[in-house]
Amino acid sequence: MTGQVKLTGMVLAAMPVGEYDRRLTILTKERGKISAFARGARKPTSALLASSQPFSFGEFILYEGKSSYNVASCDISNYFAQLREDIEAIYYGMYFCEFAAYLTKENLEAGEQLKVLYMALRALTKEAIPKRLVRYIFELRFLAAGGEMPQVFDCVHCGKQDMLKQERVWFLAGEGGLYCDTCRAEKTALPAGQDEVLVGTSTIYTMQYIVSTPLNKLFTFTVSEEVLREFGDVMKRFLEKQVGRTMKSEQMLEILG
């Protein structure tokens, strides 16, 4: 061991190791995604038993090794107990954690991404906003926090601005963002209806708001069913093209609808 560090983070996943231990994946503010062993965490009397569960958020005291960490102690400020009481919310939360684990890297500061994840889990416990909308907001803002968001302000092809004033606007997932109708008409290599979504002004505004608003206002609104459908279609196609991975936890979300 090379020393002791204190990191703020959330447990994304916990895997049993040996007879009593757990291997944790933790998203930390200071060092991004890390792996840490919680020795004896599966013993009923262990002080690490509750804190080595997914969704546990707080401060972790860790011994730093060459390739991983060992948990010495932790001070958990939120276990998201209310979320654990709602089976639908749990599945969404599992998806958010898997999404975060896949899209974050080790040894890179992830404070913004950690905040987005934390607030998304909190939003899942509220009835005021549909969980599907929470999902799409989380996906887009998490991508933005990591510098991987789609272009939702200007035309990807010609750079035309004022997309909210255009008569028709398309989202082309393979091109990474919005296309004005003129540029879409010129793109003859793309068959109609493939890899694209015709998006309305309200959907464009919603996406622009999500990537630019302060975090404390991120989960404070709702949208019409039409906007929710378009927004969901945009995120589905963009993730398929640009992320290229289907999360295991998505299967349960598909069942839930």
Side-chain angles (χ1 to χ4, degrees):
M1 298 298 171
T2 59
Q4 194 177 81
V5 294
K6 180 166 70 172
L7 304 177
T8 300
M10 178 181 294
V11 177
L12 302 179
M15 179 182 298
V17 176
E19 189 174 359
Y20 295 114
D21 302 340
R22 282 197 176 102
R23 182 177 182 272
L24 309 180
T25 301
I26 308 173
L27 180 61
T28 70
K29 172 184 175 181
E30 300 85 357
R31 300 191 181 184
K33 179 178 59 180
I34 66 169
S35 294
F37 289 94
R39 307 294 182 184
R42 294 163 61 200
K43 293 181 179 179
T45 57
S46 172
L48 300 178
L49 179 63
S51 57
S52 60
Q53 303 286 343
F55 312 137
S56 297
F57 174 87
E59 291 186 337
F60 295 80
I61 305 298
L62 306 157
Y63 289 110
E64 185 177 5
K66 292 182 178 180
S67 60
S68 64
Y69 299 79
N70 282 280
V71 181
S73 63
C74 46
D75 181 11
I76 302 301
S77 58
N78 195 341
Y79 292 95
F80 286 94
Q82 187 177 353
L83 183 146
R84 298 172 191 273
E85 297 171 357
D86 182 340
I87 189 65
E88 184 181 11
I90 289 177
Y91 286 132
Y92 273 98
M94 290 170 58
Y95 169 72
F96 293 175
C97 287
E98 186 181 358
F99 190 92
Y102 183 73
L103 289 172
T104 51
K105 297 178 176 61
E106 297 179 2
N107 300 316
L108 288 177
E109 189 275 336
E112 185 81 359
Q113 290 152 307
L114 180 61
K115 288 179 182 178
V116 174
L117 174 60
Y118 183 89
M119 296 185 69
L121 293 179
R122 286 186 59 186
L124 287 175
T125 66
K126 311 298 182 183
E127 296 296 331
I129 179 170
K131 291 180 175 58
R132 284 169 56 208
L133 179 57
V134 174
R135 172 186 177 173
Y136 304 146
I137 294 172
F138 165 76
E139 291 171 340
L140 181 55
R141 188 58 181 259
F142 198 90
L143 289 170
E148 301 179 80
M149 75 173 193
Q151 172 57 267
V152 297
F153 289 94
D154 308 328
C155 176
V156 172
H157 189 256
C158 70
K160 183 181 295 180
Q161 301 177 353
D162 296 327
M163 298 300 278
L164 291 172
K165 297 180 180 179
Q166 302 301 310
E167 185 175 348
R168 292 205 307 176
V169 176
W170 303 82
F171 184 91
L172 274 62
E175 301 298 319
L178 299 178
Y179 257 58
C180 67
D181 200 37
T182 301
C183 291
R184 171 62 190 91
E186 294 173 353
K187 194 171 178 60
T188 56
L190 184 69
Q194 179 179 316
D195 187 31
E196 65 183 8
V197 183
L198 181 62
V199 289
T201 301
S202 295
T203 302
I204 297 170
Y205 176 80
T206 297
M207 294 189 294
Q208 292 178 351
Y209 179 85
I210 289 166
V211 300
S212 60
T213 194
L215 284 177
N216 63 347
K217 297 182 180 179
L218 194 56
F219 297 98
T220 59
F221 67 93
T222 188
V223 297
S224 69
E225 188 61 34
E226 180 182 3
V227 170
L228 187 59
R229 178 188 56 78
E230 288 183 359
F231 186 17
D233 203 7
V234 164
M235 293 311 303
K236 180 177 185 295
R237 291 171 186 256
F238 183 78
L239 292 174
E240 287 174 349
K241 288 290 183 180
Q242 304 296 337
V243 176
R245 173 190 171 94
T246 300
M247 308 298 164
K248 294 180 180 179
S249 50
E250 279 188 84
Q251 297 176 3
M252 185 55 64
L253 296 185
E254 294 299 326
I255 294 175
L256 292 173

